[in-house]
CSV table of all heavy atoms in Angstrom, one decimal:
chain,number,residue,atom,x,y,z
K,63,GLY,N,-18.4,-2.3,13.9
K,63,GLY,CA,-18.5,-1.3,14.9
K,63,GLY,C,-18.6,0.1,14.3
K,63,GLY,O,-18.6,0.3,13.1
K,64,PRO,N,-18.7,1.1,15.2
K,64,PRO,CA,-18.9,2.5,14.7
K,64,PRO,C,-17.7,3.1,14.0
K,64,PRO,O,-16.6,2.7,14.3
K,64,PRO,CB,-19.3,3.3,16.0
K,64,PRO,CG,-18.6,2.5,17.1
K,64,PRO,CD,-18.7,1.1,16.6
K,65,SER,N,-17.9,4.1,13.2
K,65,SER,CA,-16.8,4.8,12.5
K,65,SER,C,-16.2,5.8,13.5
K,65,SER,O,-16.9,6.2,14.5
K,65,SER,CB,-17.3,5.5,11.3
K,65,SER,OG,-17.9,4.7,10.4
K,66,GLU,N,-15.0,6.2,13.2
K,66,GLU,CA,-14.4,7.2,14.0
K,66,GLU,C,-15.0,8.6,13.6
K,66,GLU,O,-15.2,8.9,12.5
K,66,GLU,CB,-12.9,7.2,13.7
K,66,GLU,CG,-12.1,8.1,14.7
K,66,GLU,CD,-10.6,7.8,14.6
K,66,GLU,OE1,-10.1,7.0,13.7
K,66,GLU,OE2,-9.9,8.3,15.4
K,67,PRO,N,-15.2,9.5,14.6
K,67,PRO,CA,-15.8,10.8,14.3
K,67,PRO,C,-14.9,11.6,13.4
K,67,PRO,O,-13.7,11.6,13.5
K,67,PRO,CB,-15.9,11.4,15.7
K,67,PRO,CG,-16.0,10.3,16.6
K,67,PRO,CD,-15.1,9.2,16.1
K,68,VAL,N,-15.5,12.2,12.4
K,68,VAL,CA,-14.8,13.0,11.4
K,68,VAL,C,-14.0,14.1,12.0
K,68,VAL,O,-12.9,14.4,11.6
K,68,VAL,CB,-15.8,13.5,10.3
K,68,VAL,CG1,-15.1,14.5,9.4
K,68,VAL,CG2,-16.5,12.4,9.6
K,69,THR,N,-14.6,14.8,13.0
K,69,THR,CA,-13.9,15.9,13.6
K,69,THR,C,-12.6,15.4,14.3
K,69,THR,O,-11.6,16.1,14.3
K,69,THR,CB,-14.8,16.6,14.7
K,69,THR,OG1,-16.0,17.1,14.0
K,69,THR,CG2,-14.2,17.8,15.3
K,70,LEU,N,-12.7,14.2,14.9
K,70,LEU,CA,-11.4,13.7,15.5
K,70,LEU,C,-10.4,13.4,14.4
K,70,LEU,O,-9.2,13.7,14.6
K,70,LEU,CB,-11.8,12.4,16.3
K,70,LEU,CG,-10.5,11.7,17.0
K,70,LEU,CD1,-9.7,12.7,17.9
K,70,LEU,CD2,-11.0,10.5,17.7
K,71,ILE,N,-10.8,12.8,13.3
K,71,ILE,CA,-9.9,12.5,12.3
K,71,ILE,C,-9.2,13.8,11.8
K,71,ILE,O,-8.0,13.9,11.6
K,71,ILE,CB,-10.6,11.8,11.1
K,71,ILE,CG1,-11.1,10.4,11.6
K,71,ILE,CG2,-9.7,11.6,9.9
K,71,ILE,CD1,-12.0,9.7,10.6
K,72,GLU,N,-10.0,14.8,11.5
K,72,GLU,CA,-9.5,16.1,11.1
K,72,GLU,C,-8.6,16.7,12.1
K,72,GLU,O,-7.5,17.3,11.7
K,72,GLU,CB,-10.7,17.1,10.7
K,72,GLU,CG,-11.5,16.6,9.5
K,72,GLU,CD,-12.7,17.5,9.4
K,72,GLU,OE1,-13.1,18.3,10.3
K,72,GLU,OE2,-13.4,17.3,8.3
K,73,LEU,N,-9.0,16.6,13.4
K,73,LEU,CA,-8.1,17.2,14.4
K,73,LEU,C,-6.8,16.5,14.5
K,73,LEU,O,-5.7,17.2,14.6
K,73,LEU,CB,-8.9,17.0,15.8
K,73,LEU,CG,-8.4,17.7,17.0
K,73,LEU,CD1,-8.4,19.3,16.8
K,73,LEU,CD2,-9.2,17.4,18.2
K,74,MET,N,-6.8,15.2,14.4
K,74,MET,CA,-5.5,14.4,14.4
K,74,MET,C,-4.7,14.8,13.2
K,74,MET,O,-3.5,14.9,13.3
K,74,MET,CB,-5.8,12.9,14.4
K,74,MET,CG,-6.7,12.4,15.6
K,74,MET,SD,-5.8,12.2,17.1
K,74,MET,CE,-4.7,10.9,16.8
K,75,ALA,N,-5.3,14.8,12.0
K,75,ALA,CA,-4.5,15.1,10.8
K,75,ALA,C,-3.9,16.5,10.8
K,75,ALA,O,-2.8,16.7,10.3
K,75,ALA,CB,-5.4,14.9,9.6
K,76,ALA,N,-4.6,17.4,11.4
K,76,ALA,CA,-4.1,18.8,11.4
K,76,ALA,C,-3.2,19.1,12.6
K,76,ALA,O,-2.6,20.2,12.8
K,76,ALA,CB,-5.3,19.8,11.5
K,77,GLY,N,-3.0,18.1,13.5
K,77,GLY,CA,-2.1,18.3,14.7
K,77,GLY,C,-2.8,19.2,15.7
K,77,GLY,O,-2.1,19.9,16.5
K,78,GLY,N,-4.1,19.2,15.7
K,78,GLY,CA,-4.8,20.2,16.5
K,78,GLY,C,-5.0,19.7,18.0
K,78,GLY,O,-5.5,20.5,18.8
K,79,LEU,N,-4.6,18.5,18.3
K,79,LEU,CA,-4.8,18.0,19.7
K,79,LEU,C,-4.1,18.9,20.7
K,79,LEU,O,-4.5,19.2,21.8
K,79,LEU,CB,-4.4,16.6,19.9
K,79,LEU,CG,-5.4,15.5,19.3
K,79,LEU,CD1,-4.8,14.1,19.6
K,79,LEU,CD2,-6.7,15.7,20.0
K,80,SER,N,-2.9,19.4,20.3
K,80,SER,CA,-2.1,20.2,21.2
K,80,SER,C,-2.7,21.5,21.5
K,80,SER,O,-2.4,22.1,22.5
K,80,SER,CB,-0.7,20.4,20.6
K,80,SER,OG,-0.8,21.1,19.4
K,81,GLU,N,-3.7,21.9,20.7
K,81,GLU,CA,-4.4,23.2,21.0
K,81,GLU,C,-5.5,23.1,22.0
K,81,GLU,O,-6.0,24.1,22.5
K,81,GLU,CB,-4.9,23.7,19.7
K,81,GLU,CG,-3.9,24.1,18.7
K,81,GLU,CD,-4.4,24.5,17.3
K,81,GLU,OE1,-5.6,24.9,17.3
K,81,GLU,OE2,-3.7,24.4,16.3
K,82,LEU,N,-5.8,21.8,22.4
K,82,LEU,CA,-6.9,21.6,23.4
K,82,LEU,C,-6.3,22.0,24.8
K,82,LEU,O,-5.2,21.5,25.1
K,82,LEU,CB,-7.4,20.2,23.4
K,82,LEU,CG,-8.1,19.8,22.1
K,82,LEU,CD1,-8.5,18.3,22.2
K,82,LEU,CD2,-9.4,20.6,21.9
K,83,SER,N,-7.0,22.7,25.6
K,83,SER,CA,-6.5,23.1,26.9
K,83,SER,C,-6.6,22.0,27.9
K,83,SER,O,-5.8,22.0,28.9
K,83,SER,CB,-7.3,24.4,27.4
K,83,SER,OG,-8.6,24.1,27.5
K,84,SER,N,-7.4,21.0,27.7
K,84,SER,CA,-7.6,20.0,28.7
K,84,SER,C,-6.7,18.7,28.3
K,84,SER,O,-7.0,18.1,27.3
K,84,SER,CB,-9.1,19.5,28.7
K,84,SER,OG,-9.2,18.3,29.4
K,85,PRO,N,-5.7,18.4,29.1
K,85,PRO,CA,-4.9,17.3,28.9
K,85,PRO,C,-5.7,16.0,29.0
K,85,PRO,O,-5.4,15.0,28.3
K,85,PRO,CB,-3.8,17.3,29.9
K,85,PRO,CG,-4.2,18.3,30.9
K,85,PRO,CD,-5.2,19.2,30.3
K,86,ASP,N,-6.7,16.0,29.9
K,86,ASP,CA,-7.5,14.8,30.0
K,86,ASP,C,-8.4,14.5,28.8
K,86,ASP,O,-8.6,13.4,28.4
K,86,ASP,CB,-8.4,14.9,31.3
K,86,ASP,CG,-7.6,14.8,32.6
K,86,ASP,OD1,-6.5,14.3,32.5
K,86,ASP,OD2,-8.1,15.3,33.6
K,87,LEU,N,-8.9,15.6,28.2
K,87,LEU,CA,-9.6,15.4,26.9
K,87,LEU,C,-8.7,14.9,25.8
K,87,LEU,O,-9.1,14.1,25.0
K,87,LEU,CB,-10.3,16.8,26.5
K,87,LEU,CG,-11.1,16.7,25.2
K,87,LEU,CD1,-12.1,15.6,25.1
K,87,LEU,CD2,-11.7,18.1,24.9
K,88,ARG,N,-7.5,15.5,25.7
K,88,ARG,CA,-6.5,15.0,24.7
K,88,ARG,C,-6.2,13.5,24.9
K,88,ARG,O,-6.3,12.8,23.9
K,88,ARG,CB,-5.2,15.8,24.8
K,88,ARG,CG,-5.3,17.2,24.2
K,88,ARG,CD,-3.9,17.8,24.0
K,88,ARG,NE,-3.1,17.8,25.3
K,88,ARG,CZ,-3.0,18.8,26.1
K,88,ARG,NH1,-3.7,19.9,25.9
K,88,ARG,NH2,-2.3,18.8,27.2
K,89,THR,N,-6.0,13.1,26.1
K,89,THR,CA,-5.8,11.7,26.4
K,89,THR,C,-6.9,10.8,26.0
K,89,THR,O,-6.8,9.8,25.4
K,89,THR,CB,-5.4,11.5,27.9
K,89,THR,OG1,-4.2,12.3,28.2
K,89,THR,CG2,-5.2,10.1,28.2
K,90,ALA,N,-8.1,11.3,26.4
K,90,ALA,CA,-9.3,10.5,26.0
K,90,ALA,C,-9.5,10.4,24.5
K,90,ALA,O,-9.9,9.3,24.0
K,90,ALA,CB,-10.6,11.1,26.7
K,91,LEU,N,-9.2,11.5,23.8
K,91,LEU,CA,-9.4,11.4,22.3
K,91,LEU,C,-8.3,10.5,21.7
K,91,LEU,O,-8.6,9.7,20.8
K,91,LEU,CB,-9.2,12.8,21.8
K,91,LEU,CG,-10.4,13.8,22.0
K,91,LEU,CD1,-10.0,15.2,21.7
K,91,LEU,CD2,-11.6,13.3,21.2
K,92,ILE,N,-7.1,10.5,22.2
K,92,ILE,CA,-6.0,9.7,21.7
K,92,ILE,C,-6.4,8.2,22.0
K,92,ILE,O,-6.2,7.4,21.1
K,92,ILE,CB,-4.7,10.0,22.3
K,92,ILE,CG1,-4.2,11.4,21.8
K,92,ILE,CG2,-3.6,9.0,22.1
K,92,ILE,CD1,-3.0,12.0,22.5
K,93,ARG,N,-6.9,7.9,23.2
K,93,ARG,CA,-7.2,6.5,23.5
K,93,ARG,C,-8.4,6.0,22.6
K,93,ARG,O,-8.4,4.9,22.2
K,93,ARG,CB,-7.6,6.4,25.0
K,93,ARG,CG,-6.4,6.5,25.9
K,93,ARG,CD,-6.8,6.3,27.3
K,93,ARG,NE,-5.6,6.3,28.1
K,93,ARG,CZ,-5.5,6.6,29.4
K,93,ARG,NH1,-6.6,7.0,30.0
K,93,ARG,NH2,-4.4,6.6,30.0
K,94,TYR,N,-9.3,6.9,22.4
K,94,TYR,CA,-10.4,6.5,21.5
K,94,TYR,C,-9.9,6.3,20.1
K,94,TYR,O,-10.2,5.2,19.4
K,94,TYR,CB,-11.5,7.6,21.4
K,94,TYR,CG,-12.7,7.0,20.5
K,94,TYR,CD1,-13.7,6.3,21.1
K,94,TYR,CD2,-12.6,7.2,19.1
K,94,TYR,CE1,-14.7,5.7,20.3
K,94,TYR,CE2,-13.6,6.6,18.3
K,94,TYR,CZ,-14.6,5.9,18.9
K,94,TYR,OH,-15.6,5.3,18.1
Side-chain angles (χ1 to χ4, degrees):
S65 299
E66 191 166 10
V68 173
T69 301
L70 176 57
I71 294 169
E72 291 171 350
L73 190 63
M74 300 281 293
L79 283 181
S80 60
E81 296 175 21
L82 295 174
S83 61
S84 168
D86 291 336
L87 178 55
R88 284 195 303 269
T89 299
L91 288 168
I92 289 168
R93 286 184 176 152
Y94 184 88

